[in-house]
Amino acid sequence: MHELSVTQSIVAICAEHAAGARVLRVRLQIGRLAAILPDAVRFCFDLCTDGTVLQDAQLEIIEIPGRAVCCRCGAQLTLNEPFGRCDCGSTELTVIAGQELRIEQMEVL
Amino acid sequence: MCATCGCSDGEEAVHAAVPSGHEHEHEHEHEHGHAHEHEHHHVHDHDQHEHGPHTHTHADAPARTIRLEQEVLAKNQLLAERNRGWFQAREVVALNLVSAPGSGKTTLLERTARELAGRVALQVIEGDQATAHDAERIRAAGCDALQINTGAGCHLDAAMVGKAIEQLRPPSGSLLMIENVGNLVCPALFDLGERAKVVIVAATEGEDKPLKYPHMFRASRLMLLNKIDLLPHLQFDVQRCIGYAREVNPQLEILQVSAQTGAGMQGWYQWLYRQLAPRHALAAASADATEAVGP
């Protein structure tokens, strides 16, 4: 549900940086632990860009896997959810990747 | 690709794909924002035939890439930090209360407002998609309250809270409760500038809520398990729920309360006093001395 307001922010940020130029392509980074559904962003993107300089722009989403480091033994592990359990048994993990929600770049005309 | 302006439209791609062995010259004109003209002089050996000079026009201006590396929620974060600074300067403790709809947030706040009246300056910001019912309930409990209606929005954001505190102007040393829209998903992403998030889960919900909505339980500092007065009538396994919550967030503090009967509410008040300390250390001590601590 929040993807709509998140996508509105994405469109607003891109439009501001485009300064009137037409935006052809936008590349986002969305972490798997960011609580953002890429498909929902894609769906909202067409709605939000309609009538803006981003109209008909292509949306490219790079999904970044979740990674954490165990606070007890220092091992790194891959996470599909924002929590998990290290092989050593600890659930005290520091998430080091996968929480991204970032506009990486855009192509303008 | 054009070396002058970096343009790489379809026509030029065709040029690049032409096999070697022809000779041609061409000029082209661009129609785009920065006016310039240039000529290309390609000279190739050509066995079979020769091209004469030709002119064509580019319909498209060159595309360029802008690296942004911009956090999408940066604006909200900036406004949240502004709110946080406002709260810190005035020693206001702001808490962001989050839960699914119907967990008893408003009932909890009503009882808290009544029972802390005279001890703690308490103010409430109520977030709902529509109606002012909750703010009216809180005011009836004797507490200043401001209603924010988010309309289609599913969460409060830092800008809404910034406007609300301009109107409400919580006094120095007060406790500001921000009751977020009933939703365990979206409010996890939007920092309001609060000291801590408090997640409320009712015993009438499934005990696996922490696993189903891990972002919210991870973002929270305290979990209140509410409606414990109903436990005898429910199949709710308290220890299992607490285990799930700690699995998602090992640092999570957990208290069991019933906002309806008042059971366990003293533990909640002590937690609030600790947030307000040292200003309220004396009040906490007197509350401990005069009232029995709930289960």
Side-chain angles (χ1 to χ4, degrees), chain B residues 230-252:
Chain B
L230 298 177
L231 283 171
H233 313 287
L234 302 168
Q235 298 292 311
F236 190 91
D237 185 333
V238 171
Q239 288 314 312
R240 181 179 287 180
C241 180
I242 290 173
Y244 288 150
R246 289 255 159 79
E247 188 177 341
V248 169
N249 181 355
Q251 268 85 43
L252 189 65

Side-chain angles (χ1 to χ4, degrees), chain B residues 63-80:
Chain B
R64 62 197 162 88
T65 298
I66 301 177
R67 287 198 76 80
L68 292 176
E69 299 293 353
Q70 162 99 48
E71 299 300 327
V72 174
L73 298 179
K75 190 175 171 192
N76 186 72
Q77 201 59 46
L78 189 75
L79 294 173

Side-chain angles (χ1 to χ4, degrees), chain A residues 1-2 5-6 9-10 13 17 24 33-36 82-83 91-93 101-109, chain B residues 61-72 154-155 185-186 189-190 211 214-215 218 247-248 250-251:
Chain A
M1 231 166 138
H2 52 291
S5 66
V6 162
S9 296
I10 292 167
I13 291 166
H17 284 273
L24 301 178
L33 312 180
I36 300 285
F83 64 96
T91 54
E92 297 212 27
L93 307 173
L101 176 55
R102 190 181 294 140
I103 307 167
E104 188 184 295
Q105 62 177 49
M106 64 180 184
E107 200 175 287
V108 299
L109 201 59
Chain B
R64 62 197 162 88
T65 298
I66 301 177
R67 287 198 76 80
L68 292 176
E69 299 293 353
Q70 162 99 48
E71 299 300 327
V72 174
C154 49
H155 57 268
V185 183
C186 316
L189 268 75
F190 293 85
L211 293 184
H215 292 278
R218 240 189 121 74
E247 188 177 341
V248 169
Q251 268 85 43

Side-chain angles (χ1 to χ4, degrees), chain B residues 122-235:
Chain B
L122 176 68
Q123 303 211 306
V124 177
I125 295 173
E126 284 286 343
D128 283 296
Q129 287 199 320
T131 83
H133 291 174
D134 282 1
E136 285 160 12
R137 282 174 62 185
I138 299 295
R139 281 191 210 110
C143 178
D144 281 346
L146 188 87
Q147 182 77 48
I148 301 176
N149 286 138
T150 58
C154 49
H155 57 268
L156 293 177
D157 65 31
M160 295 174 191
V161 170
K163 275 188 205 142
I165 56 179
E166 273 175 27
Q167 286 184 54
L168 200 59
R169 302 206 72 76
S172 185
S174 64
L175 183 60
L176 177 66
M177 301 281 204
I178 305 167
E179 186 183 329
N180 217 316
V181 178
N183 176 349
L184 275 175
V185 183
C186 316
L189 268 75
F190 293 85
D191 187 358
L192 307 178
E194 71 271 3
R195 168 84 61 93
K197 286 187 180 69
V198 176
V199 62
I200 295 122
V201 57
T204 45
E205 304 175 41
E207 58 265 277
D208 57 354
K209 274 279 162 80
L211 293 184
K212 286 181 173 167
Y213 301 95
H215 292 278
M216 190 61 92
F217 288 83
R218 240 189 121 74
S220 298
R221 190 181 302 171
L222 173 69
M223 173 177 121
L224 291 177
L225 175 56
N226 191 21
K227 306 193 186 180
I228 55 166
D229 54 308
L230 298 177
L231 283 171
H233 313 287
L234 302 168
Q235 298 292 311

